[in-house]
Amino acid sequence: MAKLSLPLLLLVLLIVFTTSFSCPQHQKEALLHFKASLFNVTSSFPSDKEDLLSMFESWNSSSDCCDWYGVDCDNQFGSRNVIALYLWRFWTLELIASTILTPLFHIRSLTSLDLSSNQIQGELPGDGIANLTQLMSLDLRSNHFSGSIPSQIFNLRYLQELYVLYLQNNNFFGKIPSSILNLKRLDTLDLSYNSLSMEMPIDIGNLSNIIILNFRNNELTGTIPSSIWKLRKLETLDLENNLFIGEIPSWLFNIAGLKYLFLGGNNLIWNAKAKIVPKFTLFGLSMKSCGLARRIPLWISMLKTLSFLDLSDNQLEGMLPQWLVKMKVSGIILSNNNFTGSLPPGLFDKPGLFVLFLSRNNFYGELPNNIGNATSIKYLALDGNNFSGKVPESINNITGLTLLDLSNNRFSGNFLPAFRVFSPSVIDLSSNEFSGEIQADSLFDTHVLALGKNKFSGSLSRSLTRMSRLEYLDIHDNQITSKLPDFICQISTLQILNLRNNSIQGSIPDCISNLTGLRILDLSSNHLVGEIPLKFGKLMIETPDTFLNSDEVSSFLFSNLGDAYDVNAGIQDVIVNWKKSKQGLSSHNLKLYFLLDLSSNQLFGEIPASLGSLKALKLLNVSFNNLYGRIPKSLGDLKDLESLDLSHNNLSGTIPQSLAKLYQLTILDVSNNKLIGKIPEGSQMDRMNDPNFYANNSGLCGMQIRVPCLEDMSPTKPPRVESKETWFSWEGVGIGYTLGFFITVGIFYRTEYFILAKYINYRCQQRR
Ligand SMILES: *[C@@H]1O[C@H](CO)[C@@H](O)[C@H](O)[C@H]1NC(C)=O
Ligand SMILES: *[C@@H]1O[C@H](CO)[C@@H](O)[C@H](O)[C@H]1NC(C)=O
Ligand SMILES: *[C@@H]1O[C@H](CO)[C@@H](O)[C@H](O)[C@H]1NC(C)=O
Ligand SMILES: *[C@@H]1O[C@H](CO)[C@@H](O)[C@H](O)[C@H]1NC(C)=O
Ligand SMILES: *[C@@H]1O[C@H](CO)[C@@H](O)[C@H](O)[C@H]1NC(C)=O
Ligand SMILES: *[C@@H]1O[C@H](CO)[C@@H](O)[C@H](O)[C@H]1NC(C)=O
Ligand SMILES: *[C@@H]1O[C@H](CO)[C@@H](O)[C@H](O)[C@H]1NC(C)=O
Ligand SMILES: *[C@@H]1O[C@H](CO)[C@@H](O)[C@H](O)[C@H]1NC(C)=O
Ligand SMILES: *[C@@H]1O[C@H](CO)[C@@H](O)[C@H](O)[C@H]1NC(C)=O
Ligand SMILES: *[C@@H]1O[C@H](CO)[C@@H](O)[C@H](O)[C@H]1NC(C)=O
Ligand SMILES: *[C@@H]1O[C@H](CO)[C@@H](O)[C@H](O)[C@H]1NC(C)=O
Ligand SMILES: *[C@@H]1O[C@H](CO)[C@@H](O)[C@H](O)[C@H]1NC(C)=O
């Protein structure tokens, strides 16, 4: 026996020594194959290749794949299989098809696969993942996976070991497969931020090991399944922002270990008569829009460990309760209620306060002087109340402030925050009574500065050029009297500039063409003179992906997180007077909007043909100026144009036939000019038949206004008398409509043009 076993032992040792220090060849090949196909795709993005190169630099055939970046092998004696791949953010370029992952599914020893935060799109490769039967942790969050979650991958044969499943922040839709209940070991299931619908599996409570259950931001319906009470290990239940219905079950409050309970933003109803003696030590609670009325339920005051409380969108009233003022919370969200009174100083005596949202209540009075004692506030929104007086200086001591929203109050004084270290990304002071010159000396980090509807006056300060990140500057409805200075062209990050309704003098500087990222430019209702710059043609050609793109807004804020929460804040809608009605432009799509409004000034000269090169323009308004000459043919190149207003000028000649190429056009107003000739026909031009928009010209004709053109009349048939009558009756109608038109203008003139609307969305998540 011994004689036999010695060579065998040597053989085993030999095998061990020759193989134990590197990963199996077939696994290495699979990984190299993966790298090769990635680089193959990359060849079309040469500029960003560098990052990728450095990330995969160590992945070469001459080294052991266990030493490669993002690769982990097991250390069992005699085998070094690849067991983990950490490929977080390896691909941030364009979308890439999920088929790129195919080689990875050959590495069947994987226990951990992290492909989060990439740009992978397409269906989840169900067969591939089911191949990885050893998998314990699968992280596919923050990609663009779509389709349904394939149910077969949860069949008992496969993935029995899986205890962590992160699929959040993708585009999955359809039902949550009930086969997911086969994953008996699962302790974390995060399907948040998808479009999953219908009811959740009724036996969800069979996942007896579950600790974190997160379905936030989907479209799930039905009542909260009663099986959830069986989940004795449950610590986080996040059902926020779905379509759940029914009464909030009182047994939820008997789950002893629960730490985070988010029920807000559904159609759930709180039964005010329920007697609750909470059994848990909650850290986070959201009962947003749960029909809470009058006072905050007293049992909430008994939650001594509470750190985050969201009771927004209810009908709560009265003063802030003392227990809440004293509570050592770090997040308070009470927006959209009817609380009143002034803010007690004690509220700001919390060194840990991180989020304070009291928007749209009935608070009044001055802000307490010690507001700056709450030095760790990151998100402060007090908009839509009745606060007055000066903003206390001490606010500048809140050095980490990221969002400051004081809009829609009655604050006064000459205030712009002067932060010493960082300045907030978003500052909204609009609709107050602030006055004096705008001094933006230390707002180096500010991306959004909204000062509309105040009483700021004087000139535009050169200090604005120090705002090297400024993308959104809104000073509409103020009393700025200076010229539009050349230095405005140095703020090269600008994307949205709204100076509507001030008293700005002088001409539009030629250098405005330096602002190549500009997408929305509103200089209407000022005293601008001179000609429209020829070099406008350079504007709006780039669509930079920057802060205002909401993905960036969230990732920017994610990277600035405190430990307690993930806070995802974004500017949501820019509301514009869009085609004569108020429309919200979602910040998700903001980069799709290109608007140029120079109306109601004293601009002079001809409309430059170069405007035709602003290819992405959707709205062009140069009405109410002194423009003369012909309408340039090149306007027909503005393929995306939806609204064109040239009215109230001194334009002559004919309407160019090229406008018939504007297939998106829904509003064309050329009234009150000196235009003659035939209104172009064809495609959407045939529907531009509102006589208001052609009124008061020097002889327009066409089917749109039911005035026949001479050129259309058959030479064999003399013009009939009726047509002459039509002409006269149209003139009569025209006058009547003109009055109507002015009334319409009056109404829209008063409507606010830009409103920075916002929506802040919290995501509280326990970290493992
Ligand atoms: C690289 O791309 C070409 C065509 O795009 C394809 O034919 C080839 O098979 C690809 N190679 C790899 C390794 O994926
Ligand atoms: C392969 O990668 C290793 C590091 O993993 C490095 O030391 C070696 O120089 C690389 N070889 C080549 C040929 O690039
Ligand atoms: C599963 O793994 C095996 C062996 O590594 C491989 O041959 C097969 O193609 C894989 N299946 C899928 C669907 O990727
Ligand atoms: C859930 O568990 C119950 C009892 O433990 C069992 O009767 C039921 O079949 C299970 N449901 C599923 C879908 O596994
Ligand atoms: C808010 O409270 C005030 C009294 O403080 C009351 O007059 C008003 O009607 C309430 N508004 C709403 C919307 O409940
Ligand atoms: C604010 O903080 C200062 C110390 O920074 C302290 O002296 C003061 O009492 C605090 N104010 C209030 C009202 O708590
Ligand atoms: C705001 O407060 C003032 C007194 O400071 C009061 O006159 C006014 O009615 C209040 N406005 C609202 C909308 O409550
Ligand atoms: C800001 O903080 C510093 C030091 O913490 C303090 O000395 C100063 O008084 C504070 N400023 C205001 C206006 O509260
Ligand atoms: C223009 O701004 C002033 C305040 O500066 C405001 O009173 C007026 O209503 C605004 N005009 C329009 C048309 O919005
Ligand atoms: C505009 O850009 C040009 C060339 O890039 C530069 O020379 C000029 O100084 C810029 N003008 C202003 C006012 O920034
Ligand atoms: C309109 O333009 C014509 C020349 O085309 C000029 O004679 C006339 O004075 C202009 N009218 C006004 C009001 O500017
Ligand atoms: C163009 O601007 C004028 C004045 O600013 C406004 O009255 C009109 O409604 C705008 N036109 C369109 C089509 O929105």
Side-chain angles (χ1 to χ4, degrees), residues 332-336 343 348 354-361 363 367 371 377-385 387 395 401 403-407 409 411 426 428 758-760 762:
I332 300 180
I333 302 182
L334 299 176
S335 309
N336 290 321
L343 296 187
F348 298 99
F354 186 73
V355 177
L356 180 63
F357 279 7
L358 303 177
S359 312
R360 294 174 296 279
N361 277 283
F363 291 109
L367 295 183
I371 189 165
I377 298 190
K378 223 168 154 71
Y379 303 92
L380 179 62
L382 304 176
D383 57 294
N385 284 287
F387 290 113
I395 204 166
L401 206 55
L403 171 88
L404 175 64
D405 190 347
L406 302 178
S407 64
N409 280 289
F411 286 113
V426 178
D428 190 350
K758 58 256 118 193
Y759 164 84
I760 312 279
Y762 289 88

Side-chain angles (χ1 to χ4, degrees), residues 529-722:
V529 295
E531 304 196 356
I532 298 177
L534 284 175
K535 287 208 274 177
F536 258 126
K538 269 178 83 181
L539 267 169
M540 309 184 196
I541 45 176
E542 287 170 13
T543 55
D545 272 351
T546 42
F547 185 79
L548 289 173
N549 170 328
S550 68
D551 280 358
E552 283 295 317
V553 171
S554 44
S555 64
F556 169 84
L557 292 168
F558 271 121
S559 63
N560 281 281
L561 285 182
D563 274 346
Y565 316 111
D566 288 353
V567 181
N568 181 355
I571 321 142
Q572 284 295 298
D573 291 354
V574 174
I575 297 179
V576 298
N577 189 0
W578 172 254
K579 290 186 267 183
K580 310 212 177 220
S581 74
K582 223 178 192 182
Q583 292 273 341
L585 311 182
S586 158
S587 68
H588 289 267
N589 302 322
L590 211 52
K591 66 176 174 184
L592 301 178
Y593 290 95
F594 296 82
L595 320 179
L596 179 58
D597 192 343
L598 304 176
S599 62
S600 297
N601 280 289
Q602 286 124 46
L603 296 171
F604 181 79
E606 302 197 9
I607 300 176
S610 57
L611 284 189
S613 59
L614 305 181
K615 297 281 188 247
L617 217 54
K618 284 186 185 287
L619 178 151
L620 176 61
N621 193 344
V622 294
S623 65
F624 294 93
N625 278 292
N626 302 321
L627 303 170
Y628 56 75
R630 294 177 152 261
I631 300 174
K633 284 196 192 72
S634 63
L635 295 190
D637 298 339
L638 300 173
K639 297 258 181 296
D640 291 333
L641 206 61
E642 295 179 27
S643 176
L644 176 59
D645 193 342
L646 307 173
S647 66
H648 292 89
N649 280 292
N650 190 16
L651 299 168
S652 53
T654 56
I655 303 176
Q657 180 62 37
S658 64
L659 295 197
K661 291 189 295 180
L662 301 177
Y663 298 117
Q664 307 298 325
L665 204 62
T666 54
I667 291 200
L668 171 65
D669 190 345
V670 295
S671 66
N672 296 283
N673 279 293
K674 300 214 166 71
L675 298 167
I676 53 164
K678 184 176 178 179
I679 300 168
E681 285 175 9
S683 66
Q684 91 302 336
M685 276 307 297
D686 295 348
R687 294 191 294 275
M688 302 284 140
N689 55 6
D690 186 339
N692 292 324
F693 295 157
Y694 299 101
N696 291 333
N697 273 292
S698 307
L700 284 172
C701 61
M703 49 79 77
Q704 291 92 341
I705 51 176
R706 295 194 283 140
V707 178
C709 298
L710 273 176
E711 64 202 79
D712 289 341
M713 293 177 196
S714 154
T716 53
K717 287 187 202 161
R720 278 183 286 165
V721 185
E722 284 163 46

Side-chain angles (χ1 to χ4, degrees), residues 232-305:
R232 291 291 142 190
K233 297 183 182 168
L234 193 64
E235 292 182 4
T236 296
L237 179 61
D238 192 340
L239 307 180
E240 194 92 351
N241 299 332
N242 278 282
L243 302 169
F244 292 111
I245 54 168
E247 208 171 274
I248 296 173
S250 54
W251 51 256
L252 268 181
F253 302 89
N254 292 333
I255 301 178
L258 209 57
K259 294 193 168 76
Y260 297 90
L261 179 60
F262 300 110
L263 304 173
N266 286 288
N267 300 316
L268 293 168
I269 295 293
W270 173 247
N271 174 3
K273 297 205 180 86
K275 280 221 165 20
I276 301 293
V277 183
K279 289 244 171 69
F280 42 41
T281 45
L282 269 195
F283 292 105
L285 175 66
S286 165
M287 291 178 66
K288 177 177 82 174
S289 64
C290 288
L292 301 178
R294 302 190 53 235
R295 296 298 139 101
I296 301 180
L298 209 59
W299 60 265
I300 294 181
S301 72
M302 292 187 254
L303 303 170
K304 299 296 181 205
T305 50

